Amino acid sequence: MKRVLTGIQSTGIPHLGNILGAIQPAIALANQPGNVSFLFIADLHSLTTVKDPELRRLNTLAVAAAWIACGLDTQKNFFYRQSRIPAVTELTWYLNCFTPYPMLANAHSFKDKSDRLSDVNAGLFTYPVLMAADIILYQADLVPVGKDQVQHLEIARDIANTFNNRYGHTFTLPEAMVDNRVMVVPGTDGKKMSKSYQNTIDIFLPEKQLDKVIKSIITDSTPIELPKNPDSCTVFSLYSLLAPPDDVSQMRNNYLSGGFGYGHAKKALLELILAKFTKEREQYKLLMNDLPQLEKLLSEGEQKTAEVAMKTLSDVRLKLGYA
């Protein structure tokens, strides 16, 4: 049996890129026979950037609702808020005391902002240690990551290995699962969809608001009567990620034949999103309108997750002389 661990930050409502690139693949992996998944909302990590408590709380609940709406089985798997498992912060301190400064100074999470040190808080600097604690606390075997996160997983392995060498086998050394086929989902401006670029598509928006977002997708000024290049069009790229192959072929022909405007393509994309995510949209709305039920599902997951965490932490305390 393999333990698989995935986390997503609570910095906003999961957008289409998050759903296609992270949430759906993680749920598919969780559903594979022989896998047990630990899926968490990284609300502690989000504090490095999100300081508003109410915004972070709402973001956290929205992330939870999105996971469940997309089909996550909360009974089979471990689904929890990072902040509700205090063992992870205690373990982070212990691991900090085994982590050399140069390792953190060379981490991407720090180096990307090292030219603006006034923007770097201690939480951001030690971000990889908290990430390591997230992983090895649950003895995770596999961690799906993008290429930009491989270094952080290597740091987690190095820290765990250092501890194991000194105190005997304590932590499982996690393996990275890097899917080179992971899709890059374009945002409304054609760049990679990202909250930081403010170019996201929230599939859970009410229809009128979603329509407004879809209409804002940037296209060129080719007149309606002329043929258009589907391969350079963001609307077509998004449509291709969601539609069946036959429908994609038909849409390509529409572009190449002329007499088909970007307005038509945007309308088709809106209808496709509404049709493809009908159940998810309905379930998300139900959950966000019934926060006590959402809290109940999270609390149940956190209770059983805490039992796993404490088993590891008790072993660590014993080996460090704190038991």
Side-chain angles (χ1 to χ4, degrees):
M1 181 176 291
K2 294 289 186 181
R3 288 187 177 182
V4 185
L5 183 137
T6 299
I8 186 170
Q9 285 202 42
S10 54
T11 51
I13 299 172
H15 53 70
L16 182 61
N18 297 142
I19 291 168
L20 296 180
I23 293 178
Q24 287 184 343
I27 292 175
L29 195 59
N31 290 336
Q32 288 182 10
N35 286 345
V36 174
S37 285
F38 288 74
L39 303 162
F40 69 96
I41 304 165
D43 53 343
L44 290 176
H45 282 295
S46 70
L47 185 57
T48 62
T49 55
V50 179
K51 309 301 184 186
D52 184 325
E54 183 60 19
L55 175 61
R56 189 171 52 258
R57 187 186 77 85
L58 290 174
N59 284 347
T60 299
L61 293 172
V63 171
W67 273 97
I68 297 171
C70 288
L72 175 65
D73 185 342
T74 60
Q75 298 303 309
K76 178 191 173 192
N77 301 290
F78 293 80
F79 185 53
Y80 55 99
R81 287 165 289 199
Q82 180 190 37
S83 63
R84 300 302 176 96
I85 313 296
V88 76
T89 52
E90 184 176 340
L91 180 60
T92 298
W93 174 250
Y94 298 151
L95 299 182
N96 268 327
C97 297
F98 292 87
T99 305
Y101 174 89
M103 181 182 288
L104 297 181
N106 287 321
H108 297 317
S109 53
F110 170 70
K111 289 184 73 174
D112 289 347
K113 293 184 172 63
S114 59
D115 59 338
R116 303 185 306 279
L117 288 178
S118 60
D119 295 334
V120 177
N121 54 61
L124 182 65
F125 186 68
T126 60
Y127 182 105
V129 186
L130 177 55
M131 184 174 173
D134 285 325
I135 297 167
I136 63 178
L137 180 62
Y138 305 104
Q139 309 293 359
D141 298 294
L142 301 172
V143 183
V145 292
K147 292 180 180 179
D148 59 334
Q149 288 292 317
V150 169
Q151 184 202 42
H152 286 160
L153 191 67
E154 291 173 346
I155 290 174
R157 285 176 58 88
D158 287 345
I159 296 172
N161 198 44
T162 297
F163 194 97
N164 287 351
N165 287 338
R166 187 177 183 97
Y167 296 101
H169 181 75
T170 309
F171 302 115
T172 299
L173 299 184
E175 297 286 344
M177 282 187 67
V178 182
D179 188 348
N180 293 319
R181 301 168 301 170
V182 169
M183 61 183 70
V184 175
V185 180
T188 54
D189 58 359
K191 294 188 290 188
K192 179 181 177 181
M193 191 176 293
S194 170
K195 298 181 187 75
S196 60
Y197 295 151
Q198 299 182 335
N199 64 354
T200 60
I201 296 175
D202 176 2
I203 68 162
F204 301 114
L205 285 172
E207 183 174 341
K208 287 186 178 180
Q209 293 181 38
L210 181 58
D211 182 33
K212 185 177 180 180
V213 173
I214 298 299
K215 285 178 177 176
S216 74
I217 297 173
I218 297 173
T219 54
D220 62 34
S221 56
T222 305
I224 188 171
E225 65 273 9
L226 295 181
K228 297 164 186 64
N229 182 4
D231 298 322
S232 62
C233 178
T234 300
V235 182
F236 181 81
S237 296
L238 289 165
Y239 188 89
S240 300
L241 292 174
L242 299 171
D246 288 347
D247 291 351
V248 175
S249 296
Q250 181 58 54
M251 181 62 74
R252 177 176 288 275
N253 289 335
N254 291 339
Y255 269 72
L256 297 175
S257 299
F260 184 83
Y262 292 120
H264 297 121
K266 291 178 180 180
K267 181 180 179 182
L269 176 60
L270 173 66
E271 292 173 350
L272 176 60
I273 291 174
L274 292 173
K276 189 174 183 67
F277 296 104
T278 298
K279 291 182 180 179
E280 290 85 349
R281 287 166 54 82
E282 291 175 354
Q283 182 67 10
Y284 178 85
K285 185 176 180 181
L286 286 172
L287 287 166
M288 291 304 289
N289 286 331
D290 187 2
L291 294 184
Q293 172 63 12
L294 188 55
E295 285 282 356
K296 178 176 179 291
L297 292 172
L298 283 166
S299 295
E300 289 173 351
E302 288 152 5
Q303 184 174 353
K304 66 178 184 179
T305 301
E307 294 175 4
V308 178
M310 283 309 300
K311 184 177 180 180
T312 300
L313 188 63
S314 296
D315 186 28
V316 172
R317 286 174 176 171
L318 180 64
K319 289 177 177 177
L320 291 176
Y322 292 114

